[in-house]
Amino acid sequence: MTSTEPTAVNPAAGLSAAESASLDTVVSGLAAGETRWAAMSLAARSALLLSVAAGVAAQAERWVGVAAQAKGLDPGSPLVGEEWISGPYVVLTNLAILQNSITALARGESPLRTTRFGRAPGGRITVPVLPGTPYEALLLHGFSAEAWLRPGVTEEEARSRAGLGQRHPSRTGGVGLVLGAGNITSIPPLDVLYELIAHNRVSVLKLNPVLDALSPVYTDAFAPLIEAGLLSIVSGGAAVGGYLAHHEGVSHVHITGSAATHDVVVFGPGAEGRARHAAGTPLLQKPITSELGGVAPIIVLPGKWSRRDLTFQAEHVATQRLHNGGYNCIAGQVVVLSRDWPQKADFLAALRAALAAAPARPPWYPGSNSRVRDALAAYPSAARLGPDGGRLLIEAGTEDPAALTGVEAFAPVLGVIELGGTGQAFLDAAVTAANEDFLGTLGANILGTPATIRRLGTGFTAALERLRYGTIAVNAWTGVGFLTAAAPWGAFPGHSLTDVQSGIGVVHNAFLLDDTERTIVRGPFRPFPRSAWHGEFALFPKPPWFVSARSAATTTRLLTEFVSRPSWWKTPAIFLAAFRA
């Protein structure tokens, strides 16, 4: 979930004999841990996850503090809430559902034993993944998500296959290498947990240097896994990653990063790597899975919006771009508007205001300023917004949009393109553009009033089916799909090593579903109480992940404390904080 500059990966160079020997010891130690994991009962595995959750909860405040410092955030800023919700909060929810899935399997039951399946076009069944508990139904009231399985999978097959590696716990997957992300602090541990539970694969986690400061926090939080020989955490640059990726004792690689870095790992650097890529002859002789980001569209359906609708949804779009400073693989990058929408100019004015008013923060991710300069060079007329003018709003107009739709900005850069038509004609054109012109297939967003979506009817559902994206959010941000522990997270299936786009495989997926295709997230178009006034059954106020949410840090801290030890008695304080957003 991070875009990084490609670095050379050479398995034969860059390390001293002592460094290589140290890494050899790490890999051999994990091989012994794999043996212990194979012999561990499901009940013992469930208990182990509970102890990991206790470790994460104990380190949560320290975790957030270190992450905020690494990203240059004022400890008192509401933006620290981003570190709570995309750090320990999502790891704790993932651990809880994984533990429940393993407990069900230990009883001889499917994780989907009580699931009521839905239906989607094309002979698909759907699995509800949000809300997953009565607590989520209350605390995230108005939000829902469902996983679409591949066409033709039956309910019986879905139930019997759920569990993945835990259905055959003694069949282990060897020692894996997880090349960790450098932007969102939950990604490295979530990837490790998925490798362990879904694939029975122990891991050496190579941290991205950007998040090296989290190493002691991870070490303490995940001590139960480390002490059991199931996880080892190492630091270092490309030479360390390259040595481990090609190590004979490593059976699998998982990377969260950019497609450029993936290609260097798989094919090698420089001209020789490019030649191997063209010939389809990988240097890496083992399987690799990946999550690699992309360019996420935000399709805005023309309709009749009130002034408050325009303001709220402009803040929503600004959040999709500026959350975490803009350094998210799932950051919305290009707004797709109808040039025939009478309120187009009003929405763009509200969007400029929202981008300009979002809280100041430093450009903390390496290379950000140069990527902003590149975007400005491609579109000199871009509006420079924000306290230091470091945010770009690019209204492409008649200019070639390829530098917007074909390049992941990974910076506070938001583009706008316009298409003709209204109603179904516009939606169909937007879906075609998203499928054919946009880099990657990780996530797409659609915003529209409930009345507009109702009028589209089956045409709207058909558009969801046509969109080839791993997560599609309707009146929500696809980041909600990332935060949903039971939701599969990854690119739309079908990519290859030579055309990897947003990656291969999924992670998170705490119900351990097989045959997944995509996740559909839905949210309220308006926050409470306006949602109720307009007939939406949703009690959720301004979401705490909005960059404009004034109480975000308090709300997300309380949410994290809640998921570590759930209790109905804690909910009033959460709602009180949330309604102060």
Side-chain angles (χ1 to χ4, degrees):
M1 198 171 176
T2 173
S3 179
T4 56
E5 296 300 318
T7 51
V9 174
N10 187 341
L15 297 178
S16 68
E19 289 170 325
S20 299
S22 176
L23 294 174
D24 293 342
T25 300
V26 167
V27 173
S28 62
L30 287 168
E34 179 193 4
T35 301
R36 286 192 289 275
W37 180 253
M40 192 180 295
S41 69
L42 290 177
R45 294 177 181 193
S46 177
L48 178 64
L49 292 186
L50 284 176
S51 66
V52 173
V56 171
Q59 296 298 320
E61 188 168 358
R62 177 185 173 208
W63 179 327
V64 170
V66 173
Q69 185 176 22
K71 298 180 181 184
L73 294 177
D74 184 325
S77 169
L79 293 174
V80 174
E82 297 177 355
E83 302 311 313
W84 281 103
I85 200 165
S86 67
Y89 168 85
V90 67
V91 173
L92 286 166
T93 58
N94 187 267
L95 282 163
I97 298 181
L98 284 174
Q99 191 264 337
N100 288 340
S101 294
I102 294 176
T103 299
L105 291 162
R107 294 195 302 262
E109 300 174 343
S110 168
L112 303 182
R113 62 199 179 280
T114 61
T115 296
R116 298 181 64 179
F117 296 92
R119 294 290 182 270
R124 295 172 174 88
I125 62 171
T126 66
V127 179
V129 292
L130 180 72
T133 67
Y135 295 126
E136 283 187 336
L138 176 63
L139 295 174
L140 294 172
H141 195 272
F143 286 87
S144 65
E146 61 188 19
W148 289 18
L149 304 188
R150 302 191 193 212
V153 176
T154 66
E155 292 184 12
E156 181 181 355
E157 288 169 336
R159 281 199 172 94
S160 64
R161 294 173 186 172
L164 299 179
Q166 297 312 293
R167 295 176 57 240
H168 305 285
S170 63
R171 299 180 191 173
T172 54
V175 176
L177 169 64
V178 172
L179 295 170
N183 59 339
I184 293 292
T185 61
S186 62
I187 295 178
L190 287 173
D191 290 349
V192 165
L193 288 168
Y194 196 69
E195 287 290 289
L196 182 64
I197 305 303
H199 303 297
N200 285 320
R201 188 177 294 126
V202 300
S203 293
V204 51
L205 168 61
K206 207 288 285 186
L207 295 179
N208 188 303
V210 178
L211 291 184
D212 260 346
L214 269 294
S215 180
V217 178
Y218 291 151
T219 298
D220 291 343
F222 297 93
L225 297 183
I226 296 170
E227 292 165 2
L230 309 176
L231 169 65
S232 184
I233 300 172
V234 301
S235 297
V240 171
Y243 185 81
L244 289 169
H246 295 272
H247 197 288
E248 62 180 9
V250 170
S251 62
H252 180 274
V253 178
H254 179 79
I255 178 174
T256 300
S258 68
T261 303
H262 167 274
D263 288 349
V264 169
V265 172
V266 173
F267 298 102
E272 291 184 0
R274 290 190 291 274
R276 290 191 195 95
H277 186 280
T281 54
L283 179 66
L284 186 72
Q285 297 298 305
K286 61 194 65 174
I288 182 170
T289 52
S290 50
E291 193 267 76
L292 305 173
V295 176
I298 307 170
I299 299 170
V300 178
L301 302 178
K304 187 175 181 180
W305 294 22
S306 70
R307 179 185 58 80
R308 295 177 75 180
D309 292 340
L310 292 166
T311 299
F312 177 77
Q313 291 299 341
E315 290 183 16
H316 195 179
V317 172
T319 292
Q320 294 182 34
R321 178 66 266 177
L322 298 179
H323 182 277
N324 198 36
Y327 314 116
N328 287 337
C329 68
I330 201 58
Q333 182 166 315
V334 179
V335 181
V336 184
L337 291 180
S338 166
R339 68 171 61 97
D340 302 313
W341 183 27
Q343 293 182 282
K344 180 192 73 173
D346 294 334
F347 177 74
L348 287 172
L351 183 56
R352 291 186 203 100
L355 290 169
R361 63 189 309 162
W364 63 271
Y365 201 86
S368 176
N369 289 337
S370 66
R371 290 189 291 275
V372 170
R373 286 195 296 271
D374 289 345
L376 192 57
Y379 299 98
S381 61
R384 306 193 64 164
L385 303 170
D388 58 359
R391 303 164 189 164
L392 298 188
L393 179 63
I394 301 169
E395 297 176 48
T398 59
E399 296 183 76
D400 185 354
L404 288 173
T405 60
V407 179
E408 184 181 11
F410 216 72
V413 175
L414 181 66
V416 178
I417 64 172
E418 297 179 15
L419 303 174
T422 58
Q424 193 69 49
F426 168 75
L427 178 56
D428 289 345
V431 168
T432 298
N435 284 341
E436 297 180 0
D437 301 334
F438 283 59
L439 174 70
T441 63
L442 188 61
N445 311 272
I446 304 175
L447 304 177
T449 68
T452 297
I453 293 172
R454 282 195 301 271
R455 281 195 297 271
L456 290 167
T458 57
F460 185 79
T461 305
L464 294 183
E465 183 189 15
R466 282 185 58 217
L467 265 175
R468 298 193 299 270
Y469 284 81
T471 299
I472 302 168
V474 180
N475 288 332
W477 176 33
T478 43
V480 178
F482 176 88
L483 295 175
T484 300
W489 179 258
F492 194 80
H495 300 313
S496 65
L497 290 181
T498 54
D499 184 23
V500 73
Q501 295 281 320
S502 290
I504 298 170
V506 300
V507 290
H508 304 185
N509 189 25
F511 286 158
L512 303 173
L513 304 174
D514 200 4
D515 300 309
T516 60
E517 184 186 66
R518 72 186 90 190
T519 298
I520 307 294
V521 178
R522 291 180 172 86
F525 180 74
R526 301 173 179 93
F528 185 81
R530 288 198 306 116
S531 56
W533 298 341
H534 290 271
E536 290 183 90
F537 185 55
L539 304 180
F540 206 78
K542 177 186 286 189
W545 52 84
F546 269 40
V547 293
S548 55
R550 293 171 294 182
S551 60
T554 301
T555 304
T556 52
R557 176 179 57 79
L558 291 171
L559 281 169
T560 305
E561 293 172 356
F562 176 90
V563 297
S564 67
R565 303 187 81 177
S567 168
W568 290 112
W569 295 106
K570 296 180 180 180
T571 58
I574 296 172
F575 275 104
L576 182 61
F579 278 96
R580 291 173 175 165

